[in-house]
Amino acid sequence: MDTSATQVLDYVMGLIVMATTFALCYIFYPAYVASGRGIGSNDVTLSGKKSDGEAPILSLVIPAYNEEKRLPIMLNDTFKYLNKNRGNLTDLFYEAVGVHPNRKHSKIQYEFIIVDDGSADDTAGVAKKYGERVKSGDIFKIISMNRNCGKGGAVRTGMLKSTGQLCLMIDSDGATDISDGLIKLLKEMKVLTNETRHNQENASMVGGGTSLPRCAVFGSRSHLEKESCASRSQIRTFLMHSFHFFVKTLCSHQIKDTQCGFKLFTRSAVVLLFTNLHLRRWAFDTELVVIAEKLNIPLSEVGVIWHEVDGSKLDVNKFALALVSLGMLRDMVCVRACYSLGIWKLNR
């Protein structure tokens, strides 16, 4: 082989090595971030305190990033509904955790946990003013992350600092109709926990002597997909279908809509899922599904009423949207690779 051909070959091999190195660094970057030091936070309880150990508590974990405008509207609607329907929700709560409704039991107490993910606006201030006005006896906490860590990191922090027997993840934009979604998730949780109790290998004991299995119910917008396709641009529709394809290929066939910000977990499921969670950004929901399936945590999915809300963090131009989508795909590949190669190990 002559000198020029050797130089070309060396050049091509060099490009291949550089491209491969870049690709690996890009794919495993979320793993590198997850291996670093945790992001600190400060929390303050503005109202309410935990009742006696047997009182039912429903925790609502609300991640918020630059939500000074949308958060108060969501909180107003949510508080109004929860307070008005406390009696009915108490009965549904007891049924979901396996305790027959009885008027002798305490009514449900709500624990609001606002996680300010390093917002640049007055999200924390708005939440503080709102929390100081809560007089219902419900708990209202604000957790302020020391810097922006991503939705996954914010939800993880809030969940692990919650105290409820059931914990609801709910987005701060109020896109999911809580008057529809919460009842559906509680009823589905009742079905799921009852089914799971037949297999005591999956159950753990929680407060009050009630055997509460590890279970999770995901709100879903999959039934709205046709309507969504009709109203969205072609690029958004293409990216949506592409994302669903890669979720099925890399993560799970079980859940059709992993990204709906309305999910209900039992206490024991919260502990197992979120102590094992690594991803900090948008695709963290997909890792939750992977972890749940690896740990045999039963999952269910139920359709909820959902609508677009102005001000979405993903309401960006086509190029930026494509980059976000590429980042979510990268995260899913990273999750698959890290668990397959044994880089990430699960605490059981």
Side-chain angles (χ1 to χ4, degrees):
M1 186 178 295
D2 58 30
T3 304
S4 59
T6 302
Q7 289 177 340
V8 170
L9 181 60
D10 290 343
Y11 179 74
V12 171
M13 290 300 297
L15 288 179
I16 293 174
V17 171
M18 289 177 61
T20 302
T21 302
F22 175 81
L24 290 174
C25 289
Y26 180 72
I27 290 172
F28 287 100
Y29 179 72
Y32 168 76
V33 172
S35 67
R37 295 178 59 185
I39 298 173
S41 63
N42 299 295
D43 55 277
V44 58
T45 300
L46 297 173
S47 63
K49 63 179 182 179
K50 187 176 180 181
S51 303
D52 62 88
E54 296 184 359
I57 297 177
L58 173 65
S59 297
L60 295 93
V61 175
I62 308 167
Y65 177 66
N66 292 342
E67 294 287 1
E68 64 178 4
K69 293 182 179 180
R70 299 194 297 181
L71 182 61
I73 299 172
M74 176 268 184
L75 288 175
N76 277 329
D77 292 343
T78 302
F79 259 108
K80 182 178 179 180
Y81 170 75
L82 294 179
N83 284 327
K84 183 179 179 180
N85 296 276
R86 195 181 296 265
N88 182 43
L89 291 173
T90 297
D91 290 343
L92 290 173
F93 183 98
Y94 278 125
E95 291 176 357
V97 299
V99 178
H100 191 276
N102 187 320
R103 294 302 176 186
K104 294 181 181 179
H105 288 293
S106 303
K107 283 192 175 182
I108 193 172
Q109 183 181 28
Y110 306 117
E111 179 185 47
F112 282 80
I113 301 178
I114 314 297
V115 187
D116 176 24
D117 187 22
S119 298
D121 67 359
D122 195 33
T123 295
V126 167
K128 184 175 184 293
K129 291 178 182 177
Y130 197 98
E132 290 172 343
R133 299 198 304 268
V134 174
K135 306 298 180 183
S136 59
D138 296 304
I139 303 168
F140 194 99
K141 297 179 181 178
I142 298 177
I143 299 175
S144 298
M145 305 302 294
N146 290 344
R147 59 181 175 84
N148 177 257
C149 65
K151 185 178 180 181
V155 172
R156 180 182 187 275
T157 300
M159 282 289 177
L160 293 179
K161 292 194 176 186
S162 67
T163 62
Q165 295 96 329
L166 294 179
C167 302
L168 178 71
M169 183 193 102
I170 177 171
D171 282 347
S172 56
D173 59 3
T176 302
D177 184 349
I178 192 169
S179 65
D180 166 79
L182 183 55
I183 289 176
K184 287 180 177 177
L185 264 61
L186 286 171
K187 288 182 176 179
E188 185 64 19
M189 183 63 80
K190 172 188 174 181
V191 173
L192 193 59
T193 53
N194 285 341
E195 290 177 351
T196 307
R197 281 192 178 91
H198 292 299
N199 181 4
Q200 289 301 315
E201 294 176 1
N202 223 31
S204 60
M205 298 301 293
V206 297
T210 302
S211 179
L212 186 58
R214 301 161 181 156
C215 298
V217 180
F218 284 33
S220 173
R221 303 159 297 180
S222 61
H223 61 295
L224 303 173
E225 190 169 301
K226 290 183 179 180
E227 177 184 337
S228 175
C229 291
S231 61
R232 289 186 174 186
S233 65
Q234 290 184 344
I235 182 65
R236 283 179 175 268
T237 300
F238 170 76
L239 291 173
M240 178 184 70
H241 286 301
S242 298
F243 181 79
H244 289 170
F245 169 78
F246 284 113
V247 168
K248 291 179 181 179
T249 303
L250 298 171
C251 300
S252 170
H253 290 268
Q254 186 175 358
I255 301 297
K256 294 180 180 179
D257 180 11
T258 58
Q259 301 309 111
C260 181
F262 202 77
K263 299 177 174 67
L264 185 66
F265 306 89
T266 60
R267 174 89 251 139
S268 51
V270 164
V271 173
L272 261 189
L273 289 172
F274 288 95
T275 53
N276 280 300
L277 182 67
H278 299 88
L279 291 184
R280 294 181 179 176
R281 296 289 169 180
W282 292 104
F284 77 96
D285 311 75
T286 61
E287 189 189 357
L288 286 178
V289 175
V290 171
I291 295 171
E293 292 190 348
K294 286 183 175 295
L295 295 179
N296 297 317
I297 296 176
L299 300 177
S300 186
E301 188 174 22
V302 60
V304 295
I305 296 176
W306 184 91
H307 61 280
E308 293 274 6
V309 179
D310 291 339
S312 170
K313 299 300 179 296
L314 292 180
D315 187 15
V316 292
N317 61 58
K318 294 179 180 179
F319 178 71
L321 183 61
L323 286 180
V324 171
S325 300
L326 181 61
M328 294 177 74
L329 172 59
R330 181 270 313 274
D331 287 356
M332 287 188 284
V333 173
C334 179
V335 168
R336 181 66 177 267
C338 285
Y339 284 118
S340 297
L341 297 174
I343 297 173
W344 289 347
K345 300 184 185 299
L346 294 174
N347 298 315
R348 299 177 181 270

